[in-house]
Amino acid sequence: MKILVINTGSSSIKYVVYEMEGHQVLAKGLVDRIGDPASSLTNSFYTPEEHKQKIEISIPNHAVGLELVVKTLMDPEKGIIKDTNEISAVGHRVVHGGERFSAPVVIDEEIKAKIKQLITLAPLHNPSNLEGIKVAEKFFPNAKQVAVFDTAFHQTMPPKSYRYPIPNWLYTEEKIRIYGMHGTSHSYVSKQLIAQLNKPVENTSVISIHLGNGCSMAAVHGGKCIDTSMGLSPLAGLMMGTRSGDLDPAVPFYLGTTLGMKLEDIDKMLNKESGLKGIAGSNDMRDVLEQRETGNANAILAIDMYVQRIKKYIGAYMAELGALDAIAFTAGIGENSVKLRELVCEGLGVLGIELDKSKNAASGSGNRRISTDNSKVEVWIIPTNEELEIALQSEKLL
Ligand code: AMP
């Protein structure tokens, strides 16, 4: 069975085609800068060996972008399908599923209407996700269209975790609550991590630490999320590349009333000009770590702040879980930065977390354990694979 996974952004379409038998990637690529004269499609085929190609062409909208992807996938020489009917399902990443969606669903008119209603909760993402669904329906009319929601994994949280201590009506009438994000990543990583433990799933307690441009953590008991660090939006929780993470809620009032800043400027500042960028001047962890090595005071402070917040959440989640079997690092920083993992684990012996420095520094790929043999809590690197998780969830649903 072949499944196409699509992640549609406002000006991009990322895609992967899987042969589900053996979870083999047949093709993957990116339609970039849709609507810009400098738009392009980059595609790679993986059979029999990798063949990468970039087409620079004006792509005015998502429909033209996907049409180009379809043509490429059906290329008479290198293509991996002869007919669009060979694609059994198209799995779509949908950022916000609100409270309505706690699992993937086959998309119909009612589901599309609901995703549209949820635009108020994800104004930057759900509109493009919906556009991706509409264009995929056009080009793959016989495939099942499946929506996999980024918030779904966190729907198992109890009310004490997902409610904000603000007046009840804001939840009952306006659905203002903690939803959490990166759910597809936390779902994939926690399942992979639990599979490494020699224990029945229901007795396991793990923490998934997703450190990319966006950063979040999830506390998972018995395979189910019980708490997560992002909130109503992806702005909450850990310090990130450009997002502030947790703040005293009075900070925006101060910025508005005392400094006279407009709401949209405060929003932009906290989402795009804060985090590592706000403190160290760059949102790229590699730059900040390099600057730290040269003794740059802002870079030193930024890393100290970044690491301290992760430690704080590890401690908090361990207390909530009441036990901890393992933690896993994932995403761009979590998977690649030896230094960051070392700094996070430093001094956590008190929680039973002991990193093996040489295992941590060893190059490798795939899931790997990096804690000492005596560490009470296992520490792992689990490379995330949101696309595969979407394909697997789509396959399971079919
Ligand atoms: P992601 O959003 O998962 O693609 O992650 C992006 C982040 O990963 C950026 O901040 C990159 O600087 C960071 N990153 C990628 N490779 C490394 C590395 N080798 N060391 C430190 N950070 C890295």
Side-chain angles (χ1 to χ4, degrees):
M1 182 200 285
K2 291 188 180 69
I3 293 185
L4 167 66
V5 174
I6 291 189
N7 181 354
T8 314
S10 58
S11 63
S12 67
I13 306 173
K14 273 193 215 157
Y15 63 92
V16 185
V17 183
Y18 288 97
E19 173 51 65
M20 295 311 289
E21 211 184 305
H23 304 155
Q24 192 193 355
V25 176
L26 301 178
K28 84 170 156 189
L30 170 70
V31 183
D32 207 10
R33 297 181 166 215
I34 295 173
D36 185 306
S39 41
S40 63
L41 163 70
T42 311
N43 178 77
S44 296
F45 290 122
Y46 293 89
T47 48
E49 73 273 340
E50 186 172 350
H51 170 81
K52 194 170 179 174
Q53 160 194 32
K54 186 169 181 182
I55 305 167
E56 286 176 359
I57 183 171
S58 165
I59 301 171
N61 54 45
H62 290 81
V64 173
L66 196 61
E67 188 176 8
L68 194 60
V69 172
V70 172
K71 265 193 200 150
T72 308
L73 296 178
M74 289 174 54
D75 182 272
E77 233 184 274
K78 299 253 181 233
I80 44 122
I81 50 169
K82 296 207 167 14
D83 190 296
T84 53
N85 287 334
E86 288 174 44
I87 300 290
S88 307
V90 183
H92 295 267
R93 175 182 185 227
V94 180
V95 163
H96 220 302
E99 285 193 321
R100 165 73 170 73
F101 299 109
S102 54
V105 285
V106 174
I107 298 167
D108 58 17
E109 290 307 313
E110 189 237 318
I111 300 287
K112 279 189 279 182
K114 191 67 203 174
I115 294 173
K116 193 169 174 194
Q117 272 176 23
L118 290 166
I119 285 176
T120 46
L121 289 173
L124 299 180
H125 296 101
N126 274 27
S128 13
N129 300 156
L130 202 53
E131 183 61 21
I133 291 169
K134 287 181 187 158
V135 295
E137 283 175 334
K138 187 171 152 207
F139 292 109
F140 299 93
N142 295 320
K144 288 264 185 280
Q145 306 287 332
V146 177
V148 178
F149 299 91
D150 232 19
T151 46
F153 181 65
H154 305 303
Q155 279 297 307
T156 49
M157 286 192 295
K160 66 181 176 186
S161 294
Y162 72 69
R163 287 288 302 273
Y164 287 121
I166 54 178
N168 272 320
W169 69 270
L170 288 167
Y171 171 65
T172 51
E173 289 167 36
E174 299 298 328
K175 294 290 171 222
I176 295 179
R177 50 160 283 179
I178 291 172
Y179 291 98
M181 306 284 152
H182 291 148
T184 312
S185 174
H186 289 303
S187 166
Y188 179 83
V189 169
S190 58
K191 262 190 279 178
Q192 292 279 321
L193 181 59
I194 290 167
Q196 315 292 338
L197 306 171
N198 229 345
K199 254 185 159 181
V201 175
E202 53 280 15
N203 297 339
T204 56
S205 295
V206 302
I207 298 174
S208 161
I209 307 173
H210 180 114
L211 305 176
N213 244 324
C215 303
S216 71
M217 290 173 54
V220 181
H221 179 69
K224 296 196 164 75
C225 178
I226 63 154
D227 205 355
T228 194
S229 61
M230 283 179 168
L232 173 74
S233 82
L235 185 55
L238 300 173
M239 177 170 164
M240 310 181 209
T242 60
R243 287 174 235 157
S244 63
D246 291 340
L247 283 179
D248 177 344
V251 171
F253 308 143
Y254 187 91
L255 299 177
T257 45
T258 310
L259 302 188
M261 284 178 72
K262 290 199 209 110
L263 272 183
E264 64 257 39
D265 293 334
I266 298 174
D267 186 333
K268 188 170 162 229
M269 193 178 83
L270 298 180
N271 274 293
K272 300 212 160 23
E273 291 151 16
S274 299
L276 291 174
K277 189 172 179 197
I279 304 295
S282 167
N283 63 324
D284 192 308
M285 180 55 89
R286 285 164 292 204
D287 293 344
V288 184
L289 285 169
E290 251 176 58
Q291 286 300 312
R292 177 181 180 271
E293 288 304 308
T294 67
N296 179 302
N298 286 338
I300 292 171
L301 175 63
I303 298 293
D304 284 352
M305 291 169 67
Y306 185 93
V307 167
Q308 185 242 28
R309 280 153 178 77
I310 301 168
K311 285 178 191 271
K312 200 150 99 176
Y313 271 93
I314 293 175
Y317 286 169
M318 195 168 177
E320 273 187 66
L321 288 162
L324 186 59
D325 296 304
I327 63 174
F329 289 95
T330 195
I333 299 167
E335 289 168 32
N336 296 307
S337 180
V338 174
K339 190 74 204 168
L340 222 287
R341 292 190 300 262
E342 187 184 310
L343 290 169
V344 168
C345 294
E346 204 170 73
L348 294 190
V350 66
L351 303 182
I353 296 173
E354 269 180 35
L355 192 74
D356 181 319
K357 284 193 178 176
S358 62
K359 283 186 189 157
N360 181 45
S363 54
S365 60
N367 299 344
R368 49 215 193 269
R369 185 178 161 170
I370 53 169
S371 45
T372 63
D373 292 344
N374 292 330
S375 182
K376 286 199 191 109
V377 175
E378 297 185 16
V379 183
W380 284 76
I381 300 169
I382 309 266
T384 193
N385 196 338
E386 290 163 280
E387 293 80 16
L388 178 58
E389 179 69 13
I390 292 173
L392 290 169
Q393 291 195 18
S394 304
E395 183 189 33
K396 198 167 158 199
L397 186 68
L398 299 190

